[in-house]
Amino acid sequence: MAMNYDAKYNTDDVVALFDEIAPLWKKTAEEAGVEPEKLYKTLEAIMVEVRKVDKYDEVDKDLQALFAMVTATKWFDEKQVEKIDEWLEEVASPEDTEWLNSFPESETQNAVIEGLKARTATVTVDKIAKAISIEYEGGTYGQGKHDGEVRINAEDVRIYDRRYPGKYLVSHDELPHSPEDLQWCLQSPHWDYGWDE
């Protein structure tokens, strides 16, 4: 069966491409009869189409499976594998704001007040930037009372202490999925310093 190097971003083409590659993925490109450069260009074109989707906010499991299998082959050079891994990450992490809804304002406010022993906290949800900012007064993470801000986005959780402009603490725990997780995270010892560029 010939590989469809003209595959587009639609369920039929993605599934058909997966089905074509599945029995071959452990073979060398030569043994499999695959032209890596053509296949790479096909995947690249599919990603261009994915990025044009108005609201890519749900993981396309078929496309995720395709990229996961393709990156496991030995058909591509190091740079291409790196790019395919990026595409896999992008496909597996849609621009979803759903997680923001898991942080109701009052519960998030209480999580910061309890987690940092703060006097007050004000929550701001930015649906455009896909982030939550919680400004607090009189909080502490173990380095004395201060005013600051907790920032949560899809990548990390940070604490900005107003006494040290440009410097922040970044959590190394799993991202919180609820205000309870956030409170636990704020009390965890797994933080490192970072600097704004």
Side-chain angles (χ1 to χ4, degrees), residues 59-73:
V59 176
D60 182 331
K61 298 286 190 180
D62 297 327
L63 190 57
Q64 183 182 18
L66 175 64
F67 281 125
M69 184 172 49
V70 167
T71 194
T73 70

PDB file of all heavy atoms in Angstrom, residues 59-73:
ATOM      1  N   VAL A  59      -8.549  17.852  22.571  1.00  0.00           N
ATOM      2  CA  VAL A  59      -7.485  17.015  22.023  1.00  0.00           C
ATOM      3  C   VAL A  59      -8.029  16.124  20.914  1.00  0.00           C
ATOM      4  O   VAL A  59      -9.024  15.439  21.091  1.00  0.00           O
ATOM      5  CB  VAL A  59      -6.847  16.139  23.131  1.00  0.00           C
ATOM      6  CG1 VAL A  59      -5.811  15.193  22.534  1.00  0.00           C
ATOM      7  CG2 VAL A  59      -6.224  16.997  24.209  1.00  0.00           C
ATOM      8  N   ASP A  60      -7.370  16.161  19.753  1.00  0.00           N
ATOM      9  CA  ASP A  60      -7.704  15.262  18.649  1.00  0.00           C
ATOM     10  C   ASP A  60      -6.885  13.999  18.895  1.00  0.00           C
ATOM     11  O   ASP A  60      -5.690  13.940  18.592  1.00  0.00           O
ATOM     12  CB  ASP A  60      -7.338  15.916  17.320  1.00  0.00           C
ATOM     13  CG  ASP A  60      -7.697  15.047  16.126  1.00  0.00           C
ATOM     14  OD1 ASP A  60      -7.695  13.800  16.259  1.00  0.00           O
ATOM     15  OD2 ASP A  60      -7.953  15.609  15.046  1.00  0.00           O
ATOM     16  N   LYS A  61      -7.521  12.994  19.467  1.00  0.00           N
ATOM     17  CA  LYS A  61      -6.825  11.762  19.862  1.00  0.00           C
ATOM     18  C   LYS A  61      -6.228  11.027  18.663  1.00  0.00           C
ATOM     19  O   LYS A  61      -5.176  10.401  18.780  1.00  0.00           O
ATOM     20  CB  LYS A  61      -7.775  10.821  20.615  1.00  0.00           C
ATOM     21  CG  LYS A  61      -8.328  11.393  21.908  1.00  0.00           C
ATOM     22  CD  LYS A  61      -7.268  11.406  22.967  1.00  0.00           C
ATOM     23  CE  LYS A  61      -7.895  11.752  24.311  1.00  0.00           C
ATOM     24  NZ  LYS A  61      -6.922  11.770  25.371  1.00  0.00           N
ATOM     25  N   ASP A  62      -6.895  11.092  17.515  1.00  0.00           N
ATOM     26  CA  ASP A  62      -6.363  10.436  16.322  1.00  0.00           C
ATOM     27  C   ASP A  62      -5.042  11.078  15.894  1.00  0.00           C
ATOM     28  O   ASP A  62      -4.064  10.388  15.612  1.00  0.00           O
ATOM     29  CB  ASP A  62      -7.370  10.510  15.167  1.00  0.00           C
ATOM     30  CG  ASP A  62      -8.660   9.768  15.469  1.00  0.00           C
ATOM     31  OD1 ASP A  62      -8.604   8.743  16.176  1.00  0.00           O
ATOM     32  OD2 ASP A  62      -9.724  10.215  14.998  1.00  0.00           O
ATOM     33  N   LEU A  63      -5.018  12.404  15.876  1.00  0.00           N
ATOM     34  CA  LEU A  63      -3.808  13.115  15.492  1.00  0.00           C
ATOM     35  C   LEU A  63      -2.714  12.931  16.543  1.00  0.00           C
ATOM     36  O   LEU A  63      -1.540  12.759  16.213  1.00  0.00           O
ATOM     37  CB  LEU A  63      -4.114  14.598  15.275  1.00  0.00           C
ATOM     38  CG  LEU A  63      -3.013  15.438  14.651  1.00  0.00           C
ATOM     39  CD1 LEU A  63      -2.572  14.870  13.305  1.00  0.00           C
ATOM     40  CD2 LEU A  63      -3.472  16.883  14.502  1.00  0.00           C
ATOM     41  N   GLN A  64      -3.117  12.927  17.794  1.00  0.00           N
ATOM     42  CA  GLN A  64      -2.158  12.689  18.876  1.00  0.00           C
ATOM     43  C   GLN A  64      -1.505  11.306  18.712  1.00  0.00           C
ATOM     44  O   GLN A  64      -0.287  11.164  18.837  1.00  0.00           O
ATOM     45  CB  GLN A  64      -2.869  12.789  20.228  1.00  0.00           C
ATOM     46  CG  GLN A  64      -1.957  12.619  21.421  1.00  0.00           C
ATOM     47  CD  GLN A  64      -2.706  12.678  22.739  1.00  0.00           C
ATOM     48  OE1 GLN A  64      -3.928  12.515  22.793  1.00  0.00           O
ATOM     49  NE2 GLN A  64      -1.988  12.903  23.812  1.00  0.00           N
ATOM     50  N   ALA A  65      -2.310  10.307  18.407  1.00  0.00           N
ATOM     51  CA  ALA A  65      -1.782   8.945  18.210  1.00  0.00           C
ATOM     52  C   ALA A  65      -0.837   8.905  17.020  1.00  0.00           C
ATOM     53  O   ALA A  65       0.226   8.260  17.076  1.00  0.00           O
ATOM     54  CB  ALA A  65      -2.939   7.964  18.006  1.00  0.00           C
ATOM     55  N   LEU A  66      -1.193   9.603  15.940  1.00  0.00           N
ATOM     56  CA  LEU A  66      -0.338   9.627  14.760  1.00  0.00           C
ATOM     57  C   LEU A  66       1.031  10.215  15.093  1.00  0.00           C
ATOM     58  O   LEU A  66       2.062   9.607  14.796  1.00  0.00           O
ATOM     59  CB  LEU A  66      -1.003  10.439  13.640  1.00  0.00           C
ATOM     60  CG  LEU A  66      -0.152  10.656  12.380  1.00  0.00           C
ATOM     61  CD1 LEU A  66       0.161   9.334  11.687  1.00  0.00           C
ATOM     62  CD2 LEU A  66      -0.863  11.621  11.432  1.00  0.00           C
ATOM     63  N   PHE A  67       1.048  11.391  15.730  1.00  0.00           N
ATOM     64  CA  PHE A  67       2.325  12.026  16.054  1.00  0.00           C
ATOM     65  C   PHE A  67       3.126  11.201  17.064  1.00  0.00           C
ATOM     66  O   PHE A  67       4.348  11.116  16.969  1.00  0.00           O
ATOM     67  CB  PHE A  67       2.120  13.455  16.567  1.00  0.00           C
ATOM     68  CG  PHE A  67       1.860  14.449  15.480  1.00  0.00           C
ATOM     69  CD1 PHE A  67       0.732  15.246  15.505  1.00  0.00           C
ATOM     70  CD2 PHE A  67       2.746  14.598  14.419  1.00  0.00           C
ATOM     71  CE1 PHE A  67       0.488  16.172  14.499  1.00  0.00           C
ATOM     72  CE2 PHE A  67       2.520  15.521  13.412  1.00  0.00           C
ATOM     73  CZ  PHE A  67       1.382  16.305  13.449  1.00  0.00           C
ATOM     74  N   ALA A  68       2.444  10.588  18.023  1.00  0.00           N
ATOM     75  CA  ALA A  68       3.148   9.761  19.017  1.00  0.00           C
ATOM     76  C   ALA A  68       3.832   8.574  18.336  1.00  0.00           C
ATOM     77  O   ALA A  68       4.980   8.235  18.666  1.00  0.00           O
ATOM     78  CB  ALA A  68       2.175   9.280  20.090  1.00  0.00           C
ATOM     79  N   MET A  69       3.146   7.959  17.402  1.00  0.00           N
ATOM     80  CA  MET A  69       3.734   6.811  16.715  1.00  0.00           C
ATOM     81  C   MET A  69       4.871   7.252  15.788  1.00  0.00           C
ATOM     82  O   MET A  69       5.939   6.635  15.759  1.00  0.00           O
ATOM     83  CB  MET A  69       2.686   6.050  15.909  1.00  0.00           C
ATOM     84  CG  MET A  69       3.269   4.795  15.268  1.00  0.00           C
ATOM     85  SD  MET A  69       2.049   3.746  14.501  1.00  0.00           S
ATOM     86  CE  MET A  69       1.116   4.885  13.527  1.00  0.00           C
ATOM     87  N   VAL A  70       4.667   8.327  15.062  1.00  0.00           N
ATOM     88  CA  VAL A  70       5.670   8.794  14.112  1.00  0.00           C
ATOM     89  C   VAL A  70       6.961   9.204  14.829  1.00  0.00           C
ATOM     90  O   VAL A  70       8.056   8.904  14.364  1.00  0.00           O
ATOM     91  CB  VAL A  70       5.106   9.959  13.256  1.00  0.00           C
ATOM     92  CG1 VAL A  70       6.196  10.670  12.507  1.00  0.00           C
ATOM     93  CG2 VAL A  70       4.058   9.438  12.296  1.00  0.00           C
ATOM     94  N   THR A  71       6.835   9.847  15.979  1.00  0.00           N
ATOM     95  CA  THR A  71       8.041  10.283  16.694  1.00  0.00           C
ATOM     96  C   THR A  71       8.806   9.091  17.274  1.00  0.00           C
ATOM     97  O   THR A  71       9.997   9.186  17.565  1.00  0.00           O
ATOM     98  CB  THR A  71       7.708  11.324  17.788  1.00  0.00           C
ATOM     99  OG1 THR A  71       8.929  11.939  18.206  1.00  0.00           O
ATOM    100  CG2 THR A  71       7.035  10.712  18.988  1.00  0.00           C
ATOM    101  N   ALA A  72       8.131   7.939  17.398  1.00  0.00           N
ATOM    102  CA  ALA A  72       8.783   6.722  17.908  1.00  0.00           C
ATOM    103  C   ALA A  72       9.537   5.963  16.817  1.00  0.00           C
ATOM    104  O   ALA A  72      10.306   5.055  17.120  1.00  0.00           O
ATOM    105  CB  ALA A  72       7.739   5.812  18.546  1.00  0.00           C
ATOM    106  N   THR A  73       9.344   6.368  15.570  1.00  0.00           N
ATOM    107  CA  THR A  73      10.063   5.697  14.477  1.00  0.00           C
ATOM    108  C   THR A  73      11.512   6.193  14.440  1.00  0.00           C
ATOM    109  O   THR A  73      11.862   7.156  15.120  1.00  0.00           O
ATOM    110  CB  THR A  73       9.418   5.984  13.106  1.00  0.00           C
ATOM    111  OG1 THR A  73       9.646   7.353  12.758  1.00  0.00           O
ATOM    112  CG2 THR A  73       7.940   5.651  13.096  1.00  0.00           C
TER     113      THR A  73
END
